[in-house]
Amino acid sequence: MAQRIAGLDLGSASVRAVLLESTFRGWTLVDAAAAPVLPDGLPRERQVSALRGLLGARAWRFDAAVAAWPGPGAASHLVTLPFSDLKRIGETVQFEVEGQIPFDLSEVAWDWQVLETRAGRTDLYVGVVRRDEMKALLGLLAAAGVDPQVILPAGPAYAGLSAGGAIADGEDVAEGRGAELLVDVGAERVSACVAEGDQCLWARTFPGGTAPLARALARDLAVSEEAARTLLEAECAGAAAPPEPTAPARDPRVPESLRRGLGGLVREIRATLKSWEARGARRPLRRLWLCGGAARLPGLADLLGAEAGAPARPLALDGPGTERIPEAEAPAYALALALALRGHLGARAGRLNLRRGDLASTRDFEHLRGKVARLAVYAGLVLLLAAGSAAVKAFALSRQEKLLDRSLCEVTQQVTGKCYEDFSVAESVLRGRGTPAASIPRLSAVNVLAELAARVPEVALKLDRIEITREKLHLQGSTDSAENVDKIVEGLRGSRCFADARSGGVRKRGSDARFEFTVDSELGCEVAAGAGRGTP
């Protein structure tokens, strides 16, 4: 069954979204759109407002949504554990994380995913955000009618591009196997992801991007930040500069200013590669992909390519991704597409999701799985209690049976001089001729009472006293009319046991106008064979 998944990139300058249709056999791109973030208001409110306008304008309907944490506020940590068992990792990683962050775990939303397992050791990526900030973002998104099932840091999400087969194979790719480095330069954050195949090997998100670069350019060229930002946007788009900043654009200091401004970005990428290399499992980089709005900034590919030692170029898409996203805009939509592919790949893309526990989406399968797990535990407890109750009842019945057998043995020992624990054998012996028990009546009071219940007609009757002896039956009660007494007597006379039934008198009570009566009868069915009921 086809499922529509939205990837949401909440940038500080613009919001971009991708809608794809996911099927068992693959995926197709339905639409891609962007909306500018207006300058008025708080950052999160402005981003969500732009997203609401984008979704409303496009009238998208989707079954699931995946969003990246906006801004550089998601902290990333590397945790290495000396084992690879996922169950042990789940039980241990929280203690490692607690030692690396300055907050209590109850104050943050966090999650992890496996990066690599080698020589019995496991490297984990751990993403952490403040819990109150997560709740605030979810509240804003809910007001906009969006409930993303997955929210994750931007860095690891880029591995979904290669895992989903969305990246083109360039002619400048180095020979042999190796990893790919994807660098997204946004307005206020930079994300880097080292990936190989469908596996994220290392990821990081840090402050930076075009906003500080525009400030540095304005300072060096002595122009306003707005003019520097306009110039920078034109440079990133590869177009001619607008009229106002034309003179600064021709200033020979512009290339040198951009190079100096990019120095901080180069240093952070160098630190990212060093951190990855320090793990002792570095692979040669075959390629560096530039993503984000600054992917086509002059000189950026040369600087980062020289630092990484691999050919660098703006991201080029392949497959269904090229149907709705023009080649020139492919780098800008990289994160949104990667997020949508993360939803398409599901568990194959890793388990990282900052919406865990009570922050999980109500539509999320994990939330349902948690409820099912609790129900399973409750059902198990009920079954355990039922089994315990059955065991206790069986033990009590067994003990009672032993007591009855013991009592039967004692009685038969006293009467016949021999112990019998089997009731049928004991009964046969007690009823045998020539024994002291041969005179035991064949009919009991229960048999007589059963015959009485069968012979009494269906009339308004209340029996206050029933007396059964070995030879006689005595009834005392009340009824609605004197005729009912005659019917009772006639009914009893139809049985051999009560053939001589007779009324002892009828008296009308003054309190409730009911008739009191008595009935007496000799018992004449003792000689009848079998049990219970005499035959007429």
Side-chain angles (χ1 to χ4, degrees):
M1 182 177 178
Q3 182 183 30
R4 289 201 166 189
I5 303 173
L8 308 178
D9 175 12
L10 304 177
S12 58
S14 63
V15 169
R16 297 184 184 272
V18 164
L19 181 65
L20 62 80
E21 190 170 272
S22 172
T23 62
F24 179 75
R25 295 187 176 184
W27 59 277
T28 56
L29 193 60
V30 178
D31 197 5
V37 176
L38 300 179
D40 298 330
L42 298 176
R44 294 286 187 272
E45 295 177 355
R46 292 188 286 114
Q47 291 167 324
V48 175
S49 177
L51 176 63
R52 183 191 298 111
L54 184 152
L55 297 178
R58 293 283 177 160
W60 285 0
R61 295 292 183 269
F62 45 85
D63 303 300
V66 181
W69 180 258
S76 58
H77 300 272
L78 174 67
V79 174
T80 301
L81 297 177
F83 43 79
S84 59
D85 181 66
L86 291 179
K87 183 177 180 181
R88 292 183 63 190
I89 291 174
E91 295 172 348
T92 307
V93 65
Q94 58 180 335
F95 304 106
E96 297 289 337
V97 174
E98 196 168 20
Q100 293 192 19
I101 62 176
F103 307 104
D104 190 87
L105 284 183
S106 61
E107 301 177 9
V108 297
W110 66 282
D111 198 21
W112 57 272
Q113 77 175 33
V114 174
L115 296 175
E116 279 188 290
T117 300
R118 47 190 172 79
R121 301 170 65 85
T122 304
D123 292 331
L124 307 176
Y125 175 93
V126 179
V128 181
V129 298
R130 292 292 300 270
R131 187 181 183 86
D132 53 352
E133 295 181 3
M134 173 65 79
K135 287 185 175 180
L137 176 62
L138 292 177
L140 292 172
L141 290 173
V146 180
D147 182 25
Q149 282 69 48
V150 178
I151 296 180
L152 70 161
Y158 290 94
L161 291 173
S162 56
I167 302 180
D169 288 329
E171 297 178 356
D172 56 350
V173 178
E175 295 290 336
R177 295 185 58 190
E180 294 181 323
L181 174 62
L182 295 96
V183 179
D184 187 326
V185 183
E188 294 184 353
R189 74 177 177 195
V190 178
S191 298
C193 176
V194 181
E196 182 177 18
D198 59 352
Q199 185 177 13
C200 174
L201 303 178
W202 179 231
R204 184 180 175 222
T205 299
F206 52 89
T210 59
L213 187 59
R215 290 192 292 269
L217 191 61
R219 184 177 59 252
D220 292 346
L221 302 182
V223 297
S224 65
E225 288 191 16
E226 183 178 356
R229 185 164 53 251
T230 304
L231 172 61
L232 187 59
E233 290 175 357
E235 292 283 342
C236 293
E244 184 179 350
T246 300
R250 289 196 297 266
D251 194 315
R253 295 176 298 171
V254 171
E256 183 60 28
S257 177
L258 289 176
R259 183 176 293 273
R260 284 198 305 271
L262 291 172
L265 171 61
V266 173
R267 287 192 298 272
E268 293 294 343
I269 295 300
R270 182 186 303 134
T272 300
L273 293 175
K274 290 293 184 182
S275 175
W276 175 50
E277 184 179 3
R279 292 164 49 200
R282 179 174 181 180
R283 300 163 175 77
L285 287 176
R286 354 178 5 242
R287 180 170 47 191
L288 189 152
W289 288 117
L290 294 175
C291 307
R296 301 185 186 279
L297 184 65
L300 180 60
D302 295 335
L303 285 174
L304 297 184
E307 187 64 40
R313 56 170 294 192
L315 179 69
L317 297 179
D318 192 15
T322 61
E323 298 175 0
R324 298 285 181 176
I325 301 177
E327 180 181 356
E329 299 182 14
Y333 281 97
L335 180 56
L337 180 58
L339 293 169
L341 289 172
R342 164 66 170 78
H344 163 69
L345 295 169
R348 292 175 291 169
R351 54 155 283 149
L352 186 63
N353 184 6
L354 297 178
R355 295 196 67 177
R356 296 285 183 182
D358 59 338
L359 295 176
S361 170
T362 55
R363 297 174 58 188
D364 192 15
F365 175 74
E366 180 187 352
H367 187 73
L368 178 61
R369 183 173 59 183
K371 287 189 175 182
V372 172
R374 288 193 293 272
L375 289 176
V377 171
Y378 297 152
L381 290 175
V382 171
L383 292 176
L384 183 61
L385 291 174
S389 176
V392 170
K393 288 181 179 179
F395 175 77
L397 290 175
S398 176
R399 184 175 181 182
Q400 187 175 10
E401 184 180 9
K402 290 181 180 179
L403 291 175
L404 291 174
D405 291 342
R406 186 182 305 168
S407 298
L408 181 62
C409 176
E410 292 175 355
V411 171
T412 54
Q413 182 72 39
Q414 294 175 0
V415 175
T416 65
K418 186 177 180 180
C419 172
Y420 294 96
E421 294 185 352
D422 189 308
F423 176 78
S424 58
V425 174
E427 185 180 26
S428 299
V429 171
L430 289 174
R431 292 184 184 278
R433 295 181 179 179
T435 65
S439 59
I440 294 178
R442 295 184 179 274
L443 297 178
S444 66
V446 176
N447 301 127
V448 177
L449 186 60
E451 182 69 16
L452 174 63
R455 296 297 177 178
V456 172
E458 295 183 1
V459 296
L461 171 67
K462 179 181 178 182
L463 293 176
D464 299 320
R465 182 179 180 185
I466 301 176
E467 183 178 343
I468 301 175
T469 64
R470 187 170 182 176
E471 297 86 9
K472 185 178 180 181
L473 168 68
H474 175 73
L475 302 179
Q476 182 177 333
S478 62
T479 184
D480 291 343
S481 64
E483 291 79 3
N484 290 342
V485 179
D486 296 333
K487 294 179 181 179
I488 295 171
V489 173
E490 290 299 324
L492 294 181
R493 286 177 179 176
S495 171
R496 177 186 296 181
C497 291
F498 317 119
D500 62 341
R502 56 196 178 277
S503 174
V506 179
R507 181 178 66 85
K508 185 177 182 180
R509 290 194 304 223
S511 59
D512 55 3
R514 290 178 64 85
F515 292 87
E516 296 180 343
F517 69 90
T518 60
V519 173
D520 295 286
S521 175
E522 302 293 332
L523 295 181
C525 54
E526 181 179 349
V527 296
R533 182 178 299 175
T535 55

